[in-house]
Amino acid sequence: MKKLTISAFVALLSISSMSVPTASYAQEITLQEAMDQLSSAKDKGWVGEQPNGYLGVVEDSEQAKQIAEQINEARRQEYARIAEENDIAVADVELLAGKRAIERTQSGHYVKVDGQWKKKP
């Protein structure tokens, strides 16, 4: 497995953190809106990090689903770009990203461990 370049890894990590103004969820939210709401959604326990490198919905709601869907699509695209750039499998990038995201998750936010949502101590 090739090592990720520093710039590629920094780009990968930049996708996972950002404040939540209240918005109507009758319509799809944009990626920017999802990124703006991610930090608050994690604070409220709506979404959490998973070992597969993607956000999961902890508290089932349309708002949480839309945030996770938008962020995960951006992550999917970035993981594919990083994998291609470094001639490695997307699955390897996903697992590395998931591991790092869980390590960097704040205390009190949710992470998926052994298939169960748990608050990080």
Side-chain angles (χ1 to χ4, degrees):
M1 177 168 103
K2 241 182 180 180
K3 292 197 179 214
L4 291 177
T5 62
I6 302 252
S7 61
F9 194 69
V10 169
L12 171 70
L13 293 177
S14 70
I15 295 176
S16 67
S17 61
M18 292 220 201
S19 42
V20 166
T22 304
S24 168
Y25 285 87
Q27 59 188 7
E28 283 286 314
I29 63 172
T30 66
L31 174 58
Q32 185 60 54
E33 290 168 331
M35 290 174 68
D36 290 344
Q37 296 176 37
L38 181 56
S39 180
S40 180
K42 285 182 174 185
D43 289 344
K44 293 176 182 177
W46 294 353
V47 297
E49 294 292 346
Q50 302 180 100
N52 65 2
Y54 297 99
L55 285 175
V57 175
V58 178
E59 186 178 304
D60 194 23
S61 72
E62 189 59 31
Q63 187 173 4
K65 286 178 194 173
Q66 286 190 28
I67 291 168
E69 286 172 7
Q70 289 290 335
I71 298 292
N72 286 343
E73 181 55 33
R75 287 183 180 186
R76 249 185 292 290
Q77 291 174 13
E78 185 64 6
Y79 297 163
R81 185 193 66 76
I82 291 168
E84 184 175 329
E85 183 178 288
N86 292 279
D87 194 29
I88 59 177
V90 173
D92 291 335
V93 177
E94 291 170 335
L95 291 176
L96 178 59
K99 180 180 179 213
R100 296 288 284 159
I102 288 172
E103 288 171 356
R104 297 176 77 141
T105 295
Q106 287 181 222
S107 177
H109 286 185
Y110 282 93
V111 294
K112 196 169 243 186
V113 178
D114 298 326
Q116 300 292 317
W117 287 113
K118 297 183 180 186
K119 279 191 177 184
K120 189 169 179 186

